[in-house]
PDB file of all heavy atoms in Angstrom:
ATOM      1  N   ALA A  89     158.065 -24.255 -56.996  1.00  0.00           N
ATOM      2  CA  ALA A  89     158.166 -24.455 -55.533  1.00  0.00           C
ATOM      3  C   ALA A  89     156.981 -25.275 -55.038  1.00  0.00           C
ATOM      4  O   ALA A  89     157.161 -26.150 -54.176  1.00  0.00           O
ATOM      5  CB  ALA A  89     158.248 -23.103 -54.798  1.00  0.00           C
ATOM      6  N   ARG A  90     155.777 -24.969 -55.533  1.00  0.00           N
ATOM      7  CA  ARG A  90     154.584 -25.738 -55.126  1.00  0.00           C
ATOM      8  C   ARG A  90     154.708 -27.188 -55.554  1.00  0.00           C
ATOM      9  O   ARG A  90     154.401 -28.110 -54.800  1.00  0.00           O
ATOM     10  CB  ARG A  90     153.313 -25.124 -55.732  1.00  0.00           C
ATOM     11  CG  ARG A  90     152.862 -23.830 -55.052  1.00  0.00           C
ATOM     12  CD  ARG A  90     151.459 -23.438 -55.504  1.00  0.00           C
ATOM     13  NE  ARG A  90     151.300 -23.353 -56.934  1.00  0.00           N
ATOM     14  CZ  ARG A  90     151.567 -22.252 -57.643  1.00  0.00           C
ATOM     15  NH1 ARG A  90     151.996 -21.164 -57.044  1.00  0.00           N
ATOM     16  NH2 ARG A  90     151.374 -22.253 -58.968  1.00  0.00           N
ATOM     17  N   ARG A  91     155.232 -27.420 -56.773  1.00  0.00           N
ATOM     18  CA  ARG A  91     155.409 -28.794 -57.234  1.00  0.00           C
ATOM     19  C   ARG A  91     156.475 -29.519 -56.397  1.00  0.00           C
ATOM     20  O   ARG A  91     156.237 -30.697 -56.059  1.00  0.00           O
ATOM     21  CB  ARG A  91     155.811 -28.821 -58.678  1.00  0.00           C
ATOM     22  CG  ARG A  91     156.107 -30.215 -59.200  1.00  0.00           C
ATOM     23  CD  ARG A  91     155.774 -30.370 -60.653  1.00  0.00           C
ATOM     24  NE  ARG A  91     156.042 -31.711 -61.123  1.00  0.00           N
ATOM     25  CZ  ARG A  91     155.186 -32.691 -61.143  1.00  0.00           C
ATOM     26  NH1 ARG A  91     153.960 -32.485 -60.659  1.00  0.00           N
ATOM     27  NH2 ARG A  91     155.495 -33.858 -61.611  1.00  0.00           N
ATOM     28  N   ALA A  92     157.550 -28.866 -56.053  1.00  0.00           N
ATOM     29  CA  ALA A  92     158.594 -29.497 -55.237  1.00  0.00           C
ATOM     30  C   ALA A  92     158.034 -29.849 -53.855  1.00  0.00           C
ATOM     31  O   ALA A  92     158.292 -30.946 -53.319  1.00  0.00           O
ATOM     32  CB  ALA A  92     159.784 -28.586 -55.094  1.00  0.00           C
ATOM     33  N   ALA A  93     157.215 -28.972 -53.281  1.00  0.00           N
ATOM     34  CA  ALA A  93     156.599 -29.257 -51.981  1.00  0.00           C
ATOM     35  C   ALA A  93     155.622 -30.435 -52.091  1.00  0.00           C
ATOM     36  O   ALA A  93     155.627 -31.299 -51.199  1.00  0.00           O
ATOM     37  CB  ALA A  93     155.858 -28.003 -51.465  1.00  0.00           C
ATOM     38  N   TRP A  94     154.869 -30.490 -53.155  1.00  0.00           N
ATOM     39  CA  TRP A  94     153.933 -31.596 -53.365  1.00  0.00           C
ATOM     40  C   TRP A  94     154.715 -32.900 -53.514  1.00  0.00           C
ATOM     41  O   TRP A  94     154.339 -33.918 -52.900  1.00  0.00           O
ATOM     42  CB  TRP A  94     153.092 -31.343 -54.590  1.00  0.00           C
ATOM     43  CG  TRP A  94     152.169 -32.481 -54.914  1.00  0.00           C
ATOM     44  CD1 TRP A  94     150.987 -32.787 -54.312  1.00  0.00           C
ATOM     45  CD2 TRP A  94     152.384 -33.462 -55.932  1.00  0.00           C
ATOM     46  NE1 TRP A  94     150.458 -33.906 -54.910  1.00  0.00           N
ATOM     47  CE2 TRP A  94     151.279 -34.342 -55.916  1.00  0.00           C
ATOM     48  CE3 TRP A  94     153.374 -33.680 -56.880  1.00  0.00           C
ATOM     49  CZ2 TRP A  94     151.143 -35.444 -56.757  1.00  0.00           C
ATOM     50  CZ3 TRP A  94     153.239 -34.751 -57.744  1.00  0.00           C
ATOM     51  CH2 TRP A  94     152.151 -35.607 -57.679  1.00  0.00           C
ATOM     52  N   GLN A  95     155.814 -32.890 -54.272  1.00  0.00           N
ATOM     53  CA  GLN A  95     156.636 -34.090 -54.448  1.00  0.00           C
ATOM     54  C   GLN A  95     157.212 -34.534 -53.102  1.00  0.00           C
ATOM     55  O   GLN A  95     157.264 -35.735 -52.843  1.00  0.00           O
ATOM     56  CB  GLN A  95     157.736 -33.832 -55.465  1.00  0.00           C
ATOM     57  CG  GLN A  95     157.234 -33.781 -56.890  1.00  0.00           C
ATOM     58  CD  GLN A  95     158.288 -33.430 -57.876  1.00  0.00           C
ATOM     59  OE1 GLN A  95     159.217 -32.649 -57.600  1.00  0.00           O
ATOM     60  NE2 GLN A  95     158.209 -33.984 -59.088  1.00  0.00           N
ATOM     61  N   MET A  96     157.633 -33.580 -52.290  1.00  0.00           N
ATOM     62  CA  MET A  96     158.176 -33.951 -50.965  1.00  0.00           C
ATOM     63  C   MET A  96     157.089 -34.566 -50.097  1.00  0.00           C
ATOM     64  O   MET A  96     157.329 -35.554 -49.408  1.00  0.00           O
ATOM     65  CB  MET A  96     158.742 -32.694 -50.293  1.00  0.00           C
ATOM     66  CG  MET A  96     159.418 -33.009 -48.989  1.00  0.00           C
ATOM     67  SD  MET A  96     160.809 -34.091 -49.117  1.00  0.00           S
ATOM     68  CE  MET A  96     162.084 -32.955 -49.466  1.00  0.00           C
ATOM     69  N   GLU A  97     155.883 -34.019 -50.135  1.00  0.00           N
ATOM     70  CA  GLU A  97     154.771 -34.575 -49.396  1.00  0.00           C
ATOM     71  C   GLU A  97     154.488 -36.004 -49.845  1.00  0.00           C
ATOM     72  O   GLU A  97     154.238 -36.895 -49.015  1.00  0.00           O
ATOM     73  CB  GLU A  97     153.500 -33.741 -49.566  1.00  0.00           C
ATOM     74  CG  GLU A  97     153.518 -32.427 -48.853  1.00  0.00           C
ATOM     75  CD  GLU A  97     152.292 -31.577 -49.174  1.00  0.00           C
ATOM     76  OE1 GLU A  97     151.345 -32.108 -49.782  1.00  0.00           O
ATOM     77  OE2 GLU A  97     152.294 -30.398 -48.841  1.00  0.00           O
ATOM     78  N   GLN A  98     154.530 -36.224 -51.156  1.00  0.00           N
ATOM     79  CA  GLN A  98     154.291 -37.574 -51.700  1.00  0.00           C
ATOM     80  C   GLN A  98     155.378 -38.527 -51.272  1.00  0.00           C
ATOM     81  O   GLN A  98     155.079 -39.681 -50.885  1.00  0.00           O
ATOM     82  CB  GLN A  98     154.219 -37.518 -53.229  1.00  0.00           C
ATOM     83  CG  GLN A  98     153.067 -36.728 -53.789  1.00  0.00           C
ATOM     84  CD  GLN A  98     151.726 -37.225 -53.276  1.00  0.00           C
ATOM     85  OE1 GLN A  98     151.403 -38.372 -53.363  1.00  0.00           O
ATOM     86  NE2 GLN A  98     150.941 -36.318 -52.660  1.00  0.00           N
ATOM     87  N   GLN A  99     156.630 -38.095 -51.250  1.00  0.00           N
ATOM     88  CA  GLN A  99     157.730 -38.929 -50.792  1.00  0.00           C
ATOM     89  C   GLN A  99     157.590 -39.233 -49.324  1.00  0.00           C
ATOM     90  O   GLN A  99     157.770 -40.370 -48.894  1.00  0.00           O
ATOM     91  CB  GLN A  99     159.079 -38.243 -51.074  1.00  0.00           C
ATOM     92  CG  GLN A  99     160.274 -39.096 -50.686  1.00  0.00           C
ATOM     93  CD  GLN A  99     160.368 -40.376 -51.486  1.00  0.00           C
ATOM     94  OE1 GLN A  99     160.157 -40.410 -52.669  1.00  0.00           O
ATOM     95  NE2 GLN A  99     160.674 -41.465 -50.803  1.00  0.00           N
ATOM     96  N   ASP A 100     157.242 -38.221 -48.530  1.00  0.00           N
ATOM     97  CA  ASP A 100     157.049 -38.437 -47.094  1.00  0.00           C
ATOM     98  C   ASP A 100     155.910 -39.426 -46.847  1.00  0.00           C
ATOM     99  O   ASP A 100     156.008 -40.274 -45.951  1.00  0.00           O
ATOM    100  CB  ASP A 100     156.735 -37.114 -46.381  1.00  0.00           C
ATOM    101  CG  ASP A 100     157.955 -36.221 -46.254  1.00  0.00           C
ATOM    102  OD1 ASP A 100     159.075 -36.665 -46.524  1.00  0.00           O
ATOM    103  OD2 ASP A 100     157.754 -35.024 -45.932  1.00  0.00           O
TER     104      ASP A 100
END
Side-chain angles (χ1 to χ4, degrees):
R90 285 191 307 272
R91 177 149 179 90
W94 176 78
Q95 287 174 326
M96 185 61 87
E97 287 175 12
Q98 296 303 307
Q99 183 63 43
D100 288 347

